Amino acid sequence: MKSTVETLSPTRVRLAIEVPFAELEPSLKKAYRAIGSQVNIPGFRKGRIPDAVIDQRVGRGTVLTEAVQEAIPTQILAAVREHEVKTLGRPDVEITEFEDGQPLKFTAEVDVRPELKLPDLSTVEVTVDKTEVTDEDVDTQLDGLRQRFATLKTVERSAQRGDFVQIDLAATVDGEEVPGGSATNLSHEVGSNQLLPGLDETLEGMSAGASETFTTQLVGGDFAGRDADVSVTVRTVKERELPPVDDDFASMASEFDTLEELRTDLVTRLSRVKRVEQLYAARDKALEALVAAADVPAPEGIVKEEVRYRKEAMADQLERIGASLEEYLASEGKTEEDLDTDLTNAAAEGVRIQLVLDTFADAEDIQVSDDEFGHEIVHRAERAGVAPQQYYDQLVRNGSAGAVYGDVRRSKALALVLEKVTIRDASGAVMSLDDLRGAESDAHSLEHSS
């Protein structure tokens, strides 16, 4: 096998490969065996059909095609190793010349990892906003607690924003009832915009027993895109009563006996949460600085593949909740081209970050231990709700185990990056990765308690 490599761009190369016909002999034998085990020819048992008979009944061209398809991946791998090319994604193959008994000539264009020169991380410094917990921040947390302990009280007045109403709905298009367009005794918060466009504006000012009709455009179902007449009848109007903010409330909503103790605890926790946000911002700025300093190009093929994956994942998620991509775009006021642009920009930035972290991991010789890899598998299996071994077996079948390994390696590289760069707040105070790790657990505990 002879091969050459041509650099098309910093992220793409073309391999030109020539394979003597004699080197295709193992692939030809495999092709004859594979075809012989699949076809039925009278007078011969499967797997025992002479090559000449297969040529006569199936065709020599079919055998050659299968042999070439079997040989190409192996030859590409050999060329990649010979030229020490760090490939990304799948190659685009074009057979340029091949006849029976003659050398196989083909090209393979493939994205490659660009050569990057990273800056000295000790010279990289990022600045983030200074954290400050205000009385308003604490009041917002207290309001959240009050909402959890609120009660609903029926009122004899018209509905206002923030009230809860029990309603009946019925939608028609040109007098025809919309399938699934009716509901009875439905609870809804006025002003939440959780149901139909135009409903909340109609409900404001309506009292129990009142009925109104409004027009709205349907985004799903058989009448998607059509205007529907929707009648709404209010059964009851209820207002939310919040408990007073006092020591009794503090005792009821927390482990503290007084409101002052509760507010002090919220200040402490919010300080840690804001510090997490601060350090996450530092992480993003550090990666942004590295990508800019290394002038990282994004391989076009990899970006396209990532966009395709993200788009399919979005469509799957929407389908699980009974919606479609078209309905989502209509609700967001976007076209599919807008979505593709957004996904492409996000994917390109994500790929650049991965390339920087991979390059840094190579430079620092970062390894992933079996325990670290196993811990990640267990964590992902728990989130997926399956047994770890089942999750791992599925990764192996899909050929995705290497991607998980890469994610773990990049996480370790990112942690080391944050240790090496200098992170300051607006006051000049230096922050460390230990601050992030310690504050994260406090942030999670605040989320669970509020």
Side-chain angles (χ1 to χ4, degrees), residues 386-404:
V386 298
Q389 188 61 49
Q390 178 184 349
Y391 186 84
Y392 175 74
D393 292 342
Q394 183 178 350
L395 287 178
V396 173
R397 286 195 299 270
N398 296 339
S400 303
V404 175

Side-chain angles (χ1 to χ4, degrees), residues 62-308:
T62 300
V63 178
L64 291 172
T65 297
E66 182 149 338
V68 167
Q69 295 304 317
E70 196 276 336
I72 283 177
T74 302
Q75 300 298 331
I76 291 176
L77 181 59
V80 165
R81 288 174 174 170
E82 176 186 353
H83 297 286
E84 298 182 342
V85 176
K86 297 177 180 178
T87 61
L88 299 169
R90 301 173 183 175
D92 293 327
V93 177
E94 180 183 358
I95 297 175
T96 56
E97 187 177 326
F98 182 59
E99 294 181 7
D100 194 358
Q102 299 300 313
L104 165 66
K105 297 181 180 180
F106 68 95
T107 61
E109 289 190 16
V110 63
D111 285 335
V112 295
R113 210 171 87 186
E115 295 295 328
L116 303 180
K117 185 177 181 180
L118 299 180
D120 179 0
L121 295 188
S122 65
T123 66
V124 176
E125 185 170 313
V126 296
T127 302
V128 293
D129 295 336
K130 187 177 180 181
T131 62
E132 181 181 1
V133 178
T134 65
D135 289 340
E136 183 180 354
D137 294 328
V138 177
D139 289 340
T140 299
Q141 290 294 317
L142 286 174
D143 285 342
L145 285 174
R146 293 176 73 200
Q147 298 288 345
R148 289 179 55 189
F149 291 91
T151 57
L152 296 179
K153 177 185 176 182
T154 301
V155 292
E156 300 297 330
R157 59 167 173 77
S158 58
Q160 301 173 358
R161 182 173 293 268
D163 286 341
F164 282 79
V165 291
Q166 299 293 124
I167 57 175
D168 297 337
L169 292 173
T172 60
V173 173
D174 295 334
E176 181 181 349
E177 185 176 336
V178 175
S182 298
T184 58
N185 207 27
L186 186 68
S187 178
H188 176 68
E189 181 182 359
V190 180
S192 64
N193 296 315
Q194 293 298 307
L195 295 177
L196 299 171
L199 173 62
D200 290 281
E201 292 80 359
T202 303
L203 286 171
E204 286 192 62
M206 291 182 65
S207 303
S211 296
E212 295 283 353
T213 299
F214 65 97
T215 301
T216 188
Q217 188 178 81
L218 301 178
V219 296
D222 297 337
F223 294 97
R226 301 277 301 277
D227 284 342
D229 294 321
V230 182
S231 65
V232 54
T233 300
V234 176
R235 289 173 174 257
T236 61
V237 178
K238 297 180 180 181
E239 67 178 4
R240 182 165 26 203
E241 285 193 333
L242 301 177
V245 181
D246 52 23
D247 291 344
D248 289 339
F249 168 72
S251 180
M252 174 179 62
S254 71
E255 70 271 29
F256 300 104
D257 295 326
T258 68
L259 179 60
E260 182 180 357
E261 290 175 322
L262 175 57
R263 291 186 68 93
T264 299
D265 181 69
L266 288 175
V267 168
T268 301
R269 295 203 203 186
L270 283 170
S271 296
R272 291 166 180 163
V273 170
K274 286 181 176 286
R275 202 158 176 80
V276 169
E277 295 172 351
Q278 196 178 43
L279 286 163
Y280 281 166
R283 173 201 63 187
D284 295 341
K285 288 189 175 184
L287 289 173
E288 183 181 346
L290 289 181
V291 168
D295 192 20
V296 184
E300 184 177 336
I302 297 299
V303 172
K304 286 182 178 179
E305 183 68 17
E306 181 65 16
V307 169
R308 183 192 63 80

